[in-house]
Amino acid sequence: MKIVQICVGSSCHLRGSEKIVELFQNAVKENGLDFDVVLAGSFCTEKCNRIGVSVTIDNEVFTGITPENFNAFFEEKVLKPVLAERE
């Protein structure tokens, strides 16, 4: 199971965390990962970036997540690992 925390602190909020949350919700549902991924909000991870939102997956922080790079990020860091765990 993957635990995904999307930063909703003030800096990430201003950089679009609401949209990233929506993209995660849709991607989890579309890929049938409802029982494999837990989505949660978090406050500042203190890894602010000038671009995008910070996302923590299983205690590893990733910065700069934007709607433009979301699909590649989701596939590499969430979908592929979850599918590998199922094998």
Side-chain angles (χ1 to χ4, degrees):
M1 176 162 302
K2 293 279 174 213
I3 299 173
V4 178
Q5 297 175 300
I6 301 107
C7 181
V8 293
S10 57
S11 180
C12 284
H13 175 74
L14 292 173
R15 289 178 175 81
S17 63
E18 220 174 294
K19 180 65 177 171
I20 299 301
V21 168
E22 180 183 327
L23 289 169
F24 265 108
Q25 289 171 331
N26 292 338
V28 166
K29 185 174 183 175
E30 289 169 6
N31 288 283
L33 303 179
D34 295 313
F35 298 105
D36 300 291
V37 176
V38 174
L39 295 178
S42 72
F43 288 105
C44 189
T45 59
E46 298 184 20
K47 301 284 186 186
C48 298
N49 195 347
R50 293 181 185 264
I51 299 170
V53 175
S54 296
V55 175
T56 305
I57 300 176
D58 295 337
N59 297 316
E60 185 175 356
V61 179
F62 301 91
T63 60
I65 310 308
T66 65
E68 293 77 22
N69 66 23
F70 175 82
N71 288 334
F73 174 77
F74 182 83
E75 183 176 332
E76 187 65 31
K77 300 299 181 183
V78 179
L79 185 59
K80 284 182 181 178
V82 166
L83 295 178
E85 287 176 7
R86 287 183 178 176
E87 293 179 356

